[in-house]
Amino acid sequence: SYVLTQPPSVSVAPGQTARITCGGNNIGSKGVHWYQQKPGQAPLLVVYDNSDRPSGIPERFSGSNPGNTATLTISRVEAGDEADYFCHVWDESSDHVVFGGGTKLTVL
Amino acid sequence: EVQLAESGGGLGQPGGSLRLSCAASGFIFTEYEMNWVRQAPGKGLEWVAYINSRGTMVKYAESVKGRFNISRDNAQNSVSLQMNSLRAEDTALYYCAREAAVGATGFFDYWGQGALVTVSS
């Protein structure tokens, strides 16, 4: 089965740039989506189809997927960005949805 | 405003059954595919089941195939998850999620607040 690998944690100081990676075999050929989940809340879509942002999501959130690693980049990080972040793809070989294990972003 | 509201969670016995429902509002329900996603306590997200807009195609994660059944009632704008042969590892917060699509890629643009299912004797 298809596996998405995320680092368990990423730490960044306020105002700096956070990069959260999502690795998978030939992931560059897939559409990658990213969700933010704060404690006690449902996940929130922040990037879809590799690099598109839903309405209402700040431009500080961006995504890329050039090869074997997709990346969610959060510029000018704020305390309110502290959350768990999950990547998501659809695996055509199994016809199943796959989530990454999640990355906890800590704002120092 | 798009709203998804889950109900029906609670305590289930191992080997028993529970049924979750998700009431949808604020959008044309018949135009969207729907999914259930769960999250065990302190763990990540796990996709559970999918149903297409007409209810004619369903898909399941291997962990629930043969035990869970997803269905929808387009007249009532609702989607359900019938959970049978419950196991302790089914304990989780179950989210109902709307699926949007760009080309061939689908993503979950709206989520409910979740229904807690606890399987224990």
Side-chain angles (χ1 to χ4, degrees):
Chain A
S1 61
Y2 194 80
V3 176
L4 292 174
T5 301
Q6 297 183 237
S9 63
V10 167
S11 299
V12 64
Q16 300 303 303
T17 297
R19 294 179 180 84
I20 298 172
T21 59
C22 177
N25 184 37
N26 200 28
I27 195 172
S29 68
K30 302 180 184 300
V32 180
H33 321 297
W34 292 91
Y35 304 89
Q36 174 194 70
Q37 187 179 35
K38 296 182 179 180
Q41 296 185 18
L44 172 71
L45 180 70
V46 293
V47 167
Y48 66 93
D49 198 21
N50 297 321
S51 58
D52 290 330
R53 265 187 321 276
S55 60
I57 300 300
E59 291 183 5
R60 302 185 297 105
F61 288 82
S62 62
S64 64
N65 186 17
N68 269 334
T69 301
T71 302
L72 173 69
T73 301
I74 309 171
S75 305
R76 302 180 300 284
V77 166
E78 302 173 357
D81 298 331
E82 191 163 277
D84 293 325
Y85 290 85
F86 297 90
C87 57
H88 153 208
V89 302
W90 173 66
D91 174 37
E92 61 269 25
S93 65
S94 64
D95 197 19
H96 284 173
V97 167
V98 179
F99 286 102
T103 298
K104 180 176 181 59
L105 175 67
T106 299
V107 181
L108 301 171
Chain B
E1 178 190 6
V2 172
Q3 292 192 340
L4 298 170
E6 301 92 340
S7 60
L11 178 63
Q13 300 275 337
S17 299
L18 282 174
R19 185 177 181 87
L20 302 180
S21 294
C22 171
S25 60
F27 64 100
I28 302 174
F29 185 66
T30 54
E31 293 184 353
Y32 288 88
E33 299 158 347
M34 300 295 294
N35 291 260
W36 288 95
V37 177
R38 70 184 181 183
Q39 187 170 34
K43 302 298 185 181
L45 302 174
E46 179 188 16
W47 171 76
V48 173
Y50 155 96
I51 188 165
N52 71 349
S53 59
R54 293 191 298 166
T56 57
M57 180 187 297
V58 297
K59 305 174 190 177
Y60 299 96
E62 293 301 317
S63 57
V64 306
K65 190 177 292 185
R67 300 188 300 121
F68 288 14
N69 180 50
I70 187 172
S71 61
R72 65 190 293 159
D73 183 341
N74 283 347
Q76 297 292 323
N77 287 357
S78 68
V79 58
S80 297
L81 186 69
Q82 177 66 41
M83 302 183 293
N84 301 323
S85 302
L86 286 168
R87 305 169 180 168
E89 54 264 36
D90 295 322
T91 294
L93 189 61
Y94 285 74
Y95 293 104
C96 168
R98 188 180 86 166
E99 182 169 334
V102 172
T105 183
F107 50 90
F108 305 140
D109 61 346
Y110 285 93
W111 300 63
Q113 286 304 303
L116 183 61
V117 170
T118 302
V119 182
S120 174
S121 55

